[in-house]
Amino acid sequence: MLGYLFKRLLVALPTLLAISAVIFFILALSPSNPLGDLATNPAVTPEVRENIRRSLGLDQPIPVRYLKWTVALVSGNFGYSFTSRLPVSTLIAQRLPTTLGIIGVAYGLSVALALPLGIVAALRRGSWVDRTITTLAFMGFSTPTFFSGLVLIIVFSVRLGWFPFIYDSTLIVQDMASLGQLLRQSVMPITVLVLFQTAVLLRFVRVAMLEEIPQNYVKTARAKGLAQGRIITRHMLRNALIPVVTLVALDIPTIFTGSLVTEQVFRVPGMGALLVDSIYRGDTPVVMAIAFIYAVLVVAFNLVADVLYGLIDPRVRYGS
Amino acid sequence: MAARQTSTLASRIPVRPARRWPGWLRDPLTALALTALLLILLAVGLGPWLYPVSPTAIDFAQALQPPSGSHPLGTNDLGQDQLARLLVGGRISLAVSTAAMAVSMSVGLGVGAVAGFYGRWVDGWLMRCTDLFLALPQLPLVLLVVYLFGEPARQRLGPERGIFFLIVLVIGGLNWMSVARLVRAGFLSLKQRTFVQAAVALGASPWEIVRHHLLPNVMGPVIVAATLAIGNALLAESTLSFLGLGFPPDVPTWGRMLYDAQNYLESAPHLVLAPGLAIFVTVLSVNTLGDHLRDKLEPGHR
């Protein structure tokens, strides 16, 4: 197992290097000026501009810059933002908790909803319950998060006034009142993500459960007089979860990109909003760091999926 | 290994595609989806002629009007007619998604066919490449490329055409991986079958084998993937436009209309509904059709 993990890590590292190279060269070879506004601002003299370029290391050849960037990356140094002059890691550290909090809660709720709904739909295959659930899932799956988000704002903020329109980023939780405020402003972004993610997960669970229903071990369990609930939870679900766990782990990176749009709709100050803002400002170091973090997440969760697969399915044995 | 896992799933594709097609109208949902899609295509195709209101004419006296007789879907902040914009924008949104689908299918078919047919190091190398593309962070990368290469593409090919080609290439170029794996897995399992080996023994050329024996037998899943790819591309293009990084503001794609609408949620909520519903209904119909096709063409799949 450890040997396998080590082998997979050895494969993951070159992948990450390749991705970092792709991101870096897209940025470095782009014809747009990495200095953004500074380059076109007439108030900045050419000498000052040249000094800024040099202080940011932009006067060096591209391979040298890539090498320096990678070496710094490995040592945990993401460089400095062009526009705010803060370390990129500080900027990301400010934003990451918000994103992770919202995504974590949304994903937990989605799993809690998708498991029972998917199981019920599979057990009652073809009934009106199944048809209702699958149709709703299909609709949730096909609704772009920016549309559902805007509709939620119109209905619950503009018309009913239940939830605040825009996420207040300056809010600090000190007492029950501010905690309530935080919860209230998180309801809509989380709902949007839950609607979408539940639909995706539910389809996985339903299909996986359907695969188990005709199996012989289910008949055996029923023949020996096990209660239906026990058969479902102890036997079928454990088998059905094997493919589901893989799909979930592979799917987690998409929830990060899904949250990118949701953050933009509700003005949540998370990673996605930072990325979009930095792209607009031409803040190359921040853009590179965030794109790379997304890539790390994708690779990391692929790895997690592989490892989990072996852990929950005793039939899968990793040769050393 | 994740790659191997999905390929074993994909290798369950049928050897012979099912021949029975006339089930279209037996399933009410599929019939509904097909009708909706045809209506949208008709509206977008013929609409601008049947409804000859200019989508670009600015009239500040008529700004942010709710739906009325003269403006069936109301007007936006510049007093432009929303219905006219919706019809014209639909053409662009649908053209982008169809073209992006064509790009991803061609690349996917090509890579998958070469990898599956030649095997060995070609296969290994191409699959490494596919894995690398799968590990790329899609949306951030699309945002990045469109932002960085948008301006030069605009200068070289004109404001609309440049960004059109750029978006099509980026979306298509980041969505071919599943098709490549599908085709490769199909080819690998088909190559072992006696009818292919018989064809080889009879002296068929590689191109004939691919064309007559291998490709027709993987077309079922590819058609399903192509259908779903249209929906995905439409979502990707709308997302891009919604983030303000797609077409220029005077090109009213559905996503761009939502981007503009989000500033007037209080005064003009009707601006959100029409383009949002257009995206939703189109994607839903395309996905429903894809699901139906999967049931028909991939009997092993549920």
Side-chain angles (χ1 to χ4, degrees):
Chain A
M1 185 73 215
L2 270 180
Y4 174 75
L5 197 65
F6 185 68
K7 245 192 239 167
R8 282 294 281 117
L9 274 175
L10 277 187
V11 179
L13 282 179
T15 313
L16 280 179
L17 268 182
I19 294 171
S20 75
V22 169
I23 294 170
F24 183 89
F25 285 105
I26 284 179
L27 272 162
L29 297 177
S30 88
S32 310
N33 197 312
L35 286 181
D37 284 348
L38 284 176
T40 44
N41 190 346
V44 181
T45 62
E47 296 88 69
V48 175
R49 206 172 290 147
E50 197 45 48
N51 275 338
I52 296 173
R53 280 178 65 85
R54 197 164 306 139
S55 76
L56 294 168
L58 290 177
D59 52 341
Q60 284 158 332
I62 288 173
V64 175
R65 269 158 61 194
Y66 175 62
L67 211 66
K68 279 191 167 177
W69 182 64
T70 331
V71 170
L73 204 66
V74 172
S75 57
N77 175 9
F78 286 108
Y80 288 85
S81 156
F82 281 172
T83 45
S84 65
R85 305 298 279 157
L86 284 169
V88 175
S89 44
T90 317
L91 280 175
I92 291 176
Q94 283 171 354
R95 305 295 192 102
L96 201 57
T98 317
T99 297
L100 286 182
I102 286 185
I103 287 178
V105 174
Y107 217 92
L109 282 175
S110 306
V111 172
L113 277 172
L115 272 183
L117 286 177
I119 292 171
V120 167
L123 292 177
R124 304 263 167 93
R125 188 184 186 192
S127 71
W128 66 269
V129 182
D130 178 32
R131 257 177 288 146
T132 316
I133 291 177
T134 41
T135 310
L136 284 180
F138 221 87
M139 293 171 76
F141 179 73
S142 308
T143 317
T145 42
F146 46 87
F147 180 46
S148 49
L150 290 179
V151 169
L152 282 188
I153 291 181
I154 289 177
V155 174
F156 291 105
S157 301
V158 178
R159 288 286 149 87
L160 297 172
W162 288 358
F163 302 114
F165 199 106
I166 279 174
Y167 199 94
D168 179 5
S169 53
T170 54
L171 185 75
I172 300 160
V173 179
Q174 306 147 316
D175 47 14
M176 286 313 280
S178 55
L179 181 68
Q181 215 182 331
L182 179 74
L183 289 180
R184 264 167 43 110
Q185 69 182 2
S186 313
V187 167
M188 288 202 296
I190 289 175
T191 311
V192 168
L193 286 177
V194 167
L195 282 179
F196 184 80
Q197 215 57 39
T198 308
V200 175
L201 288 178
L202 197 159
R203 285 159 57 85
F204 293 161
V205 174
R206 177 174 173 275
V207 171
M209 278 302 275
L210 282 180
E211 301 265 318
E212 302 303 323
I213 288 174
Q215 300 287 336
N216 280 331
Y217 74 86
V218 180
K219 286 191 193 111
T220 314
R222 201 161 282 146
K224 72 178 185 184
L226 271 189
Q228 175 80 351
R230 249 181 115 72
I231 299 177
I232 293 167
T233 51
R234 281 303 182 82
H235 294 260
M236 294 167 74
L237 191 58
R238 288 182 66 168
N239 281 302
L241 280 184
I242 293 169
V244 171
V245 165
T246 319
L247 288 169
V248 164
L250 291 176
D251 186 58
I252 281 184
T254 59
I255 200 177
F256 279 91
T257 42
S259 81
L260 199 155
V261 174
T262 314
E263 283 173 13
Q264 208 59 20
V265 173
F266 295 99
R267 308 279 187 267
V268 178
M271 288 262 288
L274 182 63
L275 176 69
V276 174
D277 291 348
S278 308
I279 284 181
Y280 277 127
R281 285 196 217 115
D283 200 341
T284 316
V286 184
V287 173
M288 262 155 57
I290 296 179
F292 188 68
I293 288 178
Y294 279 119
V296 170
L297 288 170
V298 177
V299 173
F301 281 111
N302 270 316
L303 199 64
V304 169
D306 284 356
V307 173
L308 271 184
Y309 201 73
L311 284 183
I312 56 173
D313 189 350
R315 286 168 302 187
V316 177
R317 285 274 165 263
Y318 299 116
S320 44
Chain B
M1 194 171 173
R4 212 159 290 153
Q5 184 51 36
T6 25
S7 57
T8 51
L9 283 177
S11 66
R12 269 194 241 152
I13 46 174
V15 178
R16 206 177 302 138
R19 297 276 153 162
R20 293 185 28 188
W21 283 70
W24 288 116
L25 300 168
R26 235 171 285 154
D27 182 22
L29 276 181
T30 315
L32 198 67
L34 199 63
T35 322
L37 210 58
L38 285 177
L39 278 180
I40 290 171
L41 283 177
L42 269 181
V44 165
L46 302 176
W49 282 307
L50 299 177
Y51 183 76
V53 176
S54 163
T56 46
I58 294 172
D59 180 3
F60 286 108
Q62 295 280 315
L64 296 177
Q65 294 284 313
S68 65
S70 52
H71 299 290
L73 293 177
T75 55
N76 70 355
D77 53 317
L78 299 173
Q80 296 165 325
D81 186 78
Q82 279 294 97
L83 179 59
R85 283 166 65 80
L86 194 74
L87 294 174
V88 172
R91 282 187 172 183
I92 297 157
S93 293
L94 291 179
V96 167
S97 37
T98 320
M101 179 274 284
V103 170
S104 60
M105 286 303 123
S106 336
V107 178
L109 267 175
V111 172
V114 169
F117 188 78
Y118 288 107
R120 296 165 190 256
W121 62 270
V122 182
D123 179 33
W125 195 82
L126 282 176
M127 282 303 111
R128 275 284 89 79
C129 239
T130 311
D131 284 346
L132 174 67
F133 265 84
L134 276 173
L136 288 174
Q138 304 264 335
L139 186 55
L141 210 63
V142 172
L143 293 180
L144 206 66
V145 173
V146 172
Y147 173 74
L148 290 172
F149 293 86
E151 200 46 50
R154 245 171 251 144
Q155 282 166 0
R156 185 122 355 131
L157 295 166
E160 255 175 67
R161 215 146 41 104
I163 204 84
F164 179 85
F165 280 116
L166 185 66
I167 290 180
V168 164
L169 283 182
V170 176
I171 294 178
L174 285 172
N175 282 305
W176 52 268
M177 292 80 78
S178 54
V179 183
R181 284 183 161 191
L182 212 76
V183 173
R184 168 188 175 261
F187 272 32
L188 283 182
S189 73
L190 285 168
K191 268 195 336 194
Q192 309 296 323
R193 307 202 33 122
T194 15
F195 73 94
V196 176
Q197 285 169 355
V200 176
L202 286 170
S205 73
W207 171 241
E208 274 171 348
I209 293 172
V210 170
R211 212 178 108 66
H212 293 294
H213 299 290
L214 300 180
L215 268 187
N217 283 313
V218 294
M219 266 344 253
V222 169
I223 291 172
V224 175
T227 317
L228 298 175
I230 294 185
N232 279 336
L234 180 61
L235 277 183
E237 184 272 322
S238 315
T239 308
L240 208 55
S241 299
F242 179 75
L243 295 174
L245 284 164
F247 283 89
D250 52 327
V251 181
T253 68
W254 291 341
R256 179 77 207 188
M257 290 172 76
L258 280 177
Y259 172 76
D260 295 333
Q262 62 178 331
N263 297 323
Y264 305 97
L265 290 179
E266 277 170 288
S267 48
H270 64 270
L271 291 179
V272 170
L273 281 185
L277 279 178
I279 298 172
F280 170 62
V281 171
T282 313
V283 175
L284 185 64
S285 309
V286 167
N287 283 351
T288 311
L289 280 186
D291 221 42
H292 180 80
L293 282 176
R294 173 174 290 160
D295 289 345
K296 285 279 165 234
L297 302 176
E298 298 179 50
H301 201 293
R302 245 180 313 189

